[in-house]
Amino acid sequence: MEFDAFDAGIELGGLRTREDIKLLVCYLVKSVDGLTKTILNETMQESGLANYFEVNGALSELVKYGNITVEYTEEDEVLYITEKGKDAAEILETNLPRTVREKAINSAIRLMTLARRQQENKIDVEKTEKGYNVTFTLADGEDELMKLTVFAADSMQVELLKQNFLNDPVKLYSNILSVLTVE
């Protein structure tokens, strides 16, 4: 098999042909409802499946030939599969290794969940003389369920706190409620 795609940043088992990359892009857009261009690119980079430039080239071709349509929003570009793209993805998806498909889907879903949590929940960081005050606000629509401020000694700790909060804000809320309500 001849490789025709850039392989910079690609891990072992990643895609090295343009056709495979286009196929995976179609498969992801078909499988993950509301997939954005940003999440698509982050998925491919995080999982080491395809080169950034190849992914964007594949996406441009798929849009050009009517396999994918793009809806432009204020935040991002939302990708949708067309009937033509859906048919191609269903026929050819088994050409991609199952591990590649699963890795891509799991990564995309995780990144979309993280992006949704970042939109729904607010994190404010205030620098103080001795470090940082990090305020987490957990909301349910318009209702503010919890506001918690904690101290962080340095910027690395701030990033760790933010990451762990966004991984599962409901778990933090539930644990705090549990501790406060158990006698």
Side-chain angles (χ1 to χ4, degrees):
M1 174 186 287
E2 188 173 318
F3 299 136
D4 62 354
F6 295 120
D7 62 0
I10 306 307
E11 294 178 6
L12 188 62
L15 304 178
R16 288 175 168 73
T17 69
R18 290 186 173 125
E19 287 304 311
D20 283 348
I21 294 168
K22 284 193 284 190
L23 184 56
L24 183 58
V25 169
C26 266
Y27 176 76
L28 275 170
V29 174
K30 176 184 83 82
S31 302
V32 180
D33 192 39
L35 186 68
T36 64
K37 184 177 179 180
T38 301
I39 297 293
L40 172 67
N41 278 309
E42 288 177 8
T43 296
M44 297 295 210
Q45 301 315 295
E46 176 185 90
S47 57
L49 290 173
N51 177 280
Y52 173 85
F53 299 105
E54 294 292 347
V55 171
N56 285 288
L59 182 58
S60 292
E61 274 189 51
L62 291 165
V63 169
K64 179 180 176 181
Y65 294 113
N67 299 98
I68 292 175
T69 59
V70 180
E71 179 183 309
Y72 298 91
T73 66
E74 288 182 24
E75 298 86 31
D76 208 340
E77 300 170 41
V78 183
L79 309 174
Y80 297 98
I81 194 87
T82 64
E83 283 302 315
K84 180 179 177 182
K86 193 181 292 185
D87 291 344
E90 287 173 359
I91 291 169
L92 298 172
E93 71 185 33
T94 55
N95 289 359
L96 293 171
R98 181 178 179 178
T99 56
V100 167
R101 294 189 313 248
E102 288 176 355
K103 188 176 189 180
I105 292 291
N106 290 337
S107 180
I109 290 170
R110 190 185 64 70
L111 289 168
M112 286 183 68
T113 301
L114 185 61
R116 189 183 74 247
R117 286 179 181 157
Q118 286 173 330
Q119 274 185 324
E120 293 172 352
N121 302 291
K122 188 175 173 187
I123 302 173
D124 294 312
V125 179
E126 178 187 344
K127 181 135 177 65
T128 66
E129 287 182 22
K130 296 182 180 183
Y132 299 87
N133 285 328
V134 184
T135 302
F136 303 98
T137 305
L138 179 68
D140 182 18
E142 297 292 318
D143 299 327
E144 190 175 284
L145 301 176
M146 175 185 74
K147 190 172 222 166
L148 172 68
T149 301
V150 296
F151 175 78
D154 56 36
S155 61
M156 286 179 59
Q157 190 177 26
V158 168
E159 290 307 312
L160 183 62
L161 290 170
K162 288 167 61 174
Q163 179 183 353
N164 287 335
F165 173 73
L166 290 172
N167 280 341
D168 197 350
V170 174
K171 180 179 178 183
L172 174 66
Y173 179 69
S174 297
N175 287 340
I176 289 173
L177 277 181
S178 176
V179 168
L180 293 174
T181 57
V182 174
E183 292 183 24

